[in-house]
Amino acid sequence: MNKTIQELVPLIQEWAKERGIFDKSTPFDQLLKTHEEVGELIKACYDNDKPAIQDAIGDVMVTLINYCYKKRIDVLEQINDVLTFERKRENSKVVLALSIQDSLTRLMNANFRLLGIGGETPFLYFYEIITMIGYLDDIAFLESTTIEECLNIAYNEIKNRKGKMINRKFIKDEK
């Protein structure tokens, strides 16, 4: 049975806490992981591989949820803003995935420049997060799926995963 996004976000956050992801990584580390997952999304879109696209959308969402937690951004508010706003949808999944990469690069640049500096979260953070979630939603729409379904797929894949943090990165145990 699928869970709602409102149910999944705290479950994902608890999963990350239990594995030391929040204690032993930085927001920038989470963006680096997002970068890796977006690369997989671009490839899946290029290959027109629906199961891989769903998996990658879910994985990107997991890493964005982790990033938002680290930056104290209410990710549920960001997701709700995107999913309730009607957009003109691009018809190329590859272009959308590349656009996510563009937004992610801007977010990474902003985080890198501010690394170690406290203060308020810049508007840019919210804008790029909303933009990326919107593009993920558009890709999901083109695949006749939803972000919620993709996030369920990702959570079901990781929920029992064990591993350890090495050099600020979660390394899953081999089965």
Side-chain angles (χ1 to χ4, degrees):
M1 177 154 187
N2 279 344
K3 297 183 182 321
T4 66
I5 289 176
Q6 290 73 20
E7 294 170 315
L8 288 166
V9 167
L11 290 171
I12 290 164
Q13 291 169 335
E14 186 59 33
W15 175 87
K17 282 179 198 173
E18 290 171 356
R19 282 146 185 86
I21 292 171
F22 294 147
D23 290 337
K24 297 178 181 174
S25 72
T26 67
F28 194 75
D29 293 325
Q30 292 307 306
L31 292 179
L32 287 172
K33 185 63 178 169
T34 304
H35 183 270
E36 183 181 317
E37 300 297 351
V38 170
E40 292 178 17
L41 177 61
I42 293 167
K43 174 83 167 80
C45 289
Y46 182 73
D47 292 344
N48 202 30
D49 181 345
K50 182 174 182 171
I53 290 170
Q54 288 177 298
D55 181 64
I57 289 171
D59 289 347
V60 170
M61 286 298 299
V62 167
T63 60
L64 286 176
I65 289 166
N66 290 345
Y67 170 77
C68 287
Y69 179 89
K70 293 288 291 180
K71 294 299 282 183
R72 295 184 176 99
I73 296 170
D74 183 350
V75 70
L76 283 173
E77 182 180 327
Q78 307 307 307
I79 293 168
N80 288 334
D81 285 351
V82 170
L83 299 183
T84 58
F85 184 76
E86 191 167 324
R87 297 177 313 282
K88 179 182 175 198
R89 295 185 186 267
E90 169 68 49
N91 63 1
S92 169
K93 294 176 290 205
V94 175
V95 168
L96 288 164
L98 290 168
S99 297
I100 293 168
Q101 186 63 53
D102 288 343
S103 286
L104 180 59
T105 298
R106 285 188 294 276
L107 188 58
M108 290 176 81
N109 281 331
N111 273 265
F112 190 73
R113 276 189 242 114
L114 296 174
L115 202 58
I117 300 173
E120 294 297 312
T121 303
F123 173 76
L124 174 68
Y125 292 6
F126 296 103
Y127 176 79
E128 298 302 351
I129 290 164
I130 288 172
T131 299
M132 286 186 282
I133 294 170
Y135 291 146
L136 290 168
D137 186 50
D138 290 347
I139 294 169
F141 175 81
L142 291 171
E143 284 297 321
S144 302
T145 189
T146 64
I147 285 181
E148 189 169 85
E149 184 178 355
C150 296
L151 196 52
N152 270 283
I153 290 167
Y155 177 70
N156 288 328
E157 178 81 19
I158 67 169
K159 68 183 177 186
N160 296 316
R161 183 175 288 163
K162 304 290 185 219
K164 57 187 166 225
M165 293 295 291
I166 300 174
N167 295 327
R168 299 182 325 272
K169 185 174 181 179
F170 180 76
I171 307 298
K172 63 184 172 184
D173 289 343
E174 296 299 319
K175 293 183 179 184

